[in-house]
């Protein structure tokens, strides 16, 4: 039996180390010391000891997460993360931290309901942006990945060219692939999944049923002013928003780790 808070946290940390390895979930550094980061904060009802709610985070990145959005404009380090072209998970997490900070801040029922719809849609947007930016920036830096997009994608299968045009086609190929990747709708997860699996040779992590459902809800929020096709107003509680925070953070950070290990 594990007794006492201290022992409990130590045991939890050990279990996380075993699950994820001794590295920061954002930047992947192996240089500790590491903090435990609660995806749903304890102050918002997150479970302190639940492994699903915990990731290992280097102290630099944990400071960044704690700083939140307000300091983003003044804190040089945070600003460098947000504007950095390659730290896509860091950018996702900064958005998620801002969302977490806003959950539960409105007292009136109407304001709370509206804010929750906005936050919910924003989480899905942040996930889409991660999926798009991570893929495009990785492909733009690696010719092998360009080739994998081309050779594994059904959208390119039917194209044929005259031999005389081969160099013209070749010279424009890279840009064409990047343009293609920019045109993908990144909440079309089945399609994005196929591209990721072909390009990085990895599998998408876990069960995505809850994220699929969230994408449909986001559609009603963004394109139907918060109402379903039947006219019913989408009703989201603080817990619904926080649960999506948890699901997307787990998904994006798991995926990020798989991509990091693959390239
Ligand atoms: Zn880190």
């Amino acid at each position: 039996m594990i007794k006492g808070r201290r022992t409990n946290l130590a045991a939890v940390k050990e279990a996380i180390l075993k699950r994820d390895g001794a590295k920061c979930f954002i930047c992947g550094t192996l240089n500790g010391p590491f903090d435990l980061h609660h995806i749903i904060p304890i102050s918002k009802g997150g479970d302190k000891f639940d492994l699903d709610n915990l990731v290992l985070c280097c102290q630099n990145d944990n400071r960044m997460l704690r700083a939140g959005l307000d300091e983003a404009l003044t804190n040089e380090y945070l600003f460098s993360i947000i504007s950095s072209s390659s730290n896509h998970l860091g950018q996702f997490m900064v958005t998620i931290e801002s969302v977490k900070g806003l959950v539960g801040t409105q007292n009136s029922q109407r304001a709370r309901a509206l804010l929750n719809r906005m936050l919910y849609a924003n989480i899905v947007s942040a996930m889409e942006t991660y999926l798009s930016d991570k893929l495009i920036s990785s492909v733009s830096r690696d010719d092998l990945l360009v080739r994998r997009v081309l050779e594994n994608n059904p959208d390119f299968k039917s194209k044929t060219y005259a031999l005389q045009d081969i160099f013209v086609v070749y010279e424009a190929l890279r840009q064409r692939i990047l343009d293609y990747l920019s045109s993908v709708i990144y909440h079309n997860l089945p399609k994005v999944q196929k591209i990721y699996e072909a390009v990085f040779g990895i599998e998408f992590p876990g069960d995505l049923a809850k994220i699929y459902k969230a994408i449909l809800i986001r559609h009603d929020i963004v394109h139907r002013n918060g109402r379903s096709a039947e006219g019913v107003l989408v009703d989201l509680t603080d817990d619904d928003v926080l649960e999506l925070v948890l699901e997307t953070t787990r998904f994006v950070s798991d995926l990020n780790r798989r991509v990091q290990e693959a390239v």
Side-chain angles (χ1 to χ4, degrees), residues 159-208:
K159 305 276 183 211
T160 51
Y161 295 98
L163 188 57
Q164 283 170 323
D165 296 332
I166 207 84
F167 283 102
V168 175
V169 173
Y170 180 74
E171 280 157 14
L173 192 57
R174 191 187 177 79
Q175 192 53 49
R176 190 161 166 192
I177 299 279
L178 293 174
D179 289 346
Y180 166 77
L181 292 178
S182 299
S183 74
V184 169
I185 306 294
Y186 281 86
H187 55 253
N188 183 350
L189 274 193
K191 181 163 192 163
V192 174
Q193 181 165 4
K194 280 199 188 105
I195 300 175
Y196 262 75
E197 291 181 351
V199 169
F200 298 113
I202 57 167
E203 281 185 18
F204 254 29
D207 174 10
L208 300 179

Side-chain angles (χ1 to χ4, degrees), residues 9-23 25 35-37 48-57 250 257:
L9 260 190
V12 161
K13 199 165 182 177
E14 201 156 299
I16 306 270
L17 283 168
K18 212 168 161 188
R19 183 189 68 191
D20 299 341
K23 59 179 167 186
F25 87 110
D35 292 333
L36 284 172
H37 173 73
K48 188 167 184 182
F49 299 112
D50 182 3
L51 293 189
D52 280 344
N53 193 36
L54 282 159
V55 278
L56 216 54
C57 190
R250 291 231 64 90
R257 183 167 58 237

Side-chain angles (χ1 to χ4, degrees), residues 85-86 88 131-149 173-182 186 195 199-200 259 263:
S85 58
S86 62
H88 307 295
L131 289 171
S132 157
D133 288 356
K134 186 74 186 176
L135 180 64
I136 293 171
S137 80
S138 303
V139 170
S140 71
R141 280 184 276 118
D142 188 337
D143 283 342
L144 175 65
L145 302 187
V146 174
R147 183 170 178 168
R148 286 188 188 153
V149 177
L173 192 57
R174 191 187 177 79
Q175 192 53 49
R176 190 161 166 192
I177 299 279
L178 293 174
D179 289 346
Y180 166 77
L181 292 178
S182 299
Y186 281 86
I195 300 175
V199 169
F200 298 113
V259 170
V263 294

Side-chain angles (χ1 to χ4, degrees), residues 24 26-27 29 58 61:
C24 171
I26 294 181
C27 68
T29 183
C58 76
D61 280 331

Side-chain angles (χ1 to χ4, degrees), residues 93-108:
M93 287 307 301
V94 166
T95 303
I96 290 295
E97 288 305 304
S98 312
V99 166
K100 284 171 5 184
L102 287 165
V103 172
T105 54
Q106 298 303 307
N107 290 323
S108 94

